[in-house]
Amino acid sequence: MPTEARRAFAAAHALARHALSWCAPRIDPSEWRLSARNPHGRPEVSAPRLDADIRVNLSHTDGMVAVVATLTDACGIDIERRADSAMVSRVAHRVLSATELATMRDLDPAARTDQFCRLWTLKEATTKALGTGLRTPFDTIAFDFDDDRNARRADNDPSWSMRSWPASPEHHVSVAVHAPKVDFVVHSLSEELRARNP
Ligand SMILES: CC(C)(COP(=O)(O)OP(=O)(O)OC[C@H]1O[C@@H](n2cnc3c(N)ncnc32)[C@H](O)[C@@H]1OP(=O)(O)O)[C@@H](O)C(=O)NCCC(=O)NCCS
């Protein structure tokens, strides 16, 4: 594995342990074991055993890692470096639903790219929460937006909660939790570190 990928893997897995301990503060981050994987590669918490069905998911990309943890519900996260407009033109028709494609048609190039990143990361976060990843065809799950951050399934399935926002000027992140009306608590380590070392 290249050095950069190894560092991202280590950072994401360390952050995952801290996120789990934030949900279950009695457990030290070093105690968590994420060695088990579902048949499609999703890491599962294998130890310690708790009464709650604690879940975690992680994502790493060039320059950023992101993690989501919940005490009860399936969750998925995806962080991506912003796509360029040539890539969007190449891929959009293969992964977006007809309605999603239609909403992109009248946007200027920068707004199209933003919209594509929101939709792509939402699709990946949702299929990671399902545990199937890229095995689920992305054009079969579609999204709509209530505002800048809050998304929902286009079929109005109320059993999902979703958030999507720019994690930096170059990165976009989305989170999906298979539960209605989730209260998201977001921590940004880079902002916390910047505040401690101005
Ligand atoms: C999961 C997947 C969407 C990741 O895409 P990506 O954008 O390249 O990578 P991300 O950084 O966002 O996510 C990677 C992390 O997702 C997690 N992950 C892997 N497979 C997963 C799955 N099926 N569901 C949820 N999370 C998964 C892992 O933690 C992985 O990081 P790690 O290997 O360092 O622990 C993609 O790799 C995939 O679909 N894999 C499934 C392929 C499959 O079905 N394989 C079957 C083998 S028989």
Side-chain angles (χ1 to χ4, degrees), residues 9 13 37 40-41 43 57 59-60 78 124 128 131 133-135:
F9 178 93
H13 283 255
R37 300 241 171 191
H40 302 292
N57 196 237
S59 179
H60 28 74
D78 185 45
E124 209 173 300
K128 288 171 82 176
L134 301 175
R135 289 284 167 101

Side-chain angles (χ1 to χ4, degrees), residues 178-189:
H178 203 170
K181 298 195 169 79
V182 167
D183 286 324
F184 289 97
V185 180
V186 179
H187 294 275
S188 164
L189 204 52

Side-chain angles (χ1 to χ4, degrees), residues 6-193:
R6 254 203 315 272
R7 284 178 56 201
F9 178 93
H13 283 255
L15 200 58
R17 291 190 168 80
H18 281 273
L20 287 164
S21 289
W22 193 84
C23 290
R26 284 184 301 108
I27 312 292
D28 187 81
S30 63
E31 292 177 59
W32 297 106
R33 294 289 168 265
L34 294 175
S35 42
R37 300 241 171 191
N38 88 347
H40 302 292
R42 178 174 67 189
E44 312 285 353
V45 178
S46 49
R49 295 247 173 253
L50 304 183
D51 291 339
D53 185 13
I54 196 160
R55 311 286 192 98
V56 71
N57 196 237
L58 59 90
S59 179
H60 28 74
T61 189
D62 186 15
M64 281 245 175
V65 302
V67 163
V68 58
T70 77
L71 270 177
T72 47
D73 306 295
C75 55
I77 192 160
D78 185 45
I79 189 159
E80 300 284 347
R81 188 171 272 280
R82 201 163 284 280
D84 61 43
S85 52
M87 195 273 215
V88 174
S89 305
R90 241 185 1 260
V91 176
H93 67 281
R94 283 195 265 134
V95 296
L96 302 186
S97 72
T99 313
E100 287 171 336
L101 275 174
T103 64
M104 304 235 310
R105 207 158 288 143
D106 296 330
L107 300 176
D108 65 50
R112 266 187 101 225
T113 303
D114 282 351
Q115 180 74 348
F116 178 80
C117 292
R118 294 168 93 190
L119 291 167
W120 172 274
T121 53
L122 279 166
K123 285 167 193 273
E124 209 173 300
T126 303
T127 57
K128 288 171 82 176
L130 291 168
T132 52
L134 301 175
R135 289 284 167 101
T136 299
F138 275 16
D139 58 348
T140 61
I141 359 162
F143 298 93
D144 233 327
F145 297 95
D146 293 326
D147 55 42
D148 278 357
R149 291 201 163 209
N150 291 298
R152 60 188 154 77
R153 298 276 302 245
D155 59 9
N156 284 322
D157 178 346
S159 63
W160 286 87
S161 299
M162 262 135 338
R163 276 273 192 102
S164 185
W165 70 99
S168 85
E170 291 92 39
H171 297 88
H172 201 91
V173 64
S174 289
V175 180
V177 180
H178 203 170
K181 298 195 169 79
V182 167
D183 286 324
F184 289 97
V185 180
V186 179
H187 294 275
S188 164
L189 204 52
S190 57
E191 279 165 22
E192 285 172 24
L193 290 174

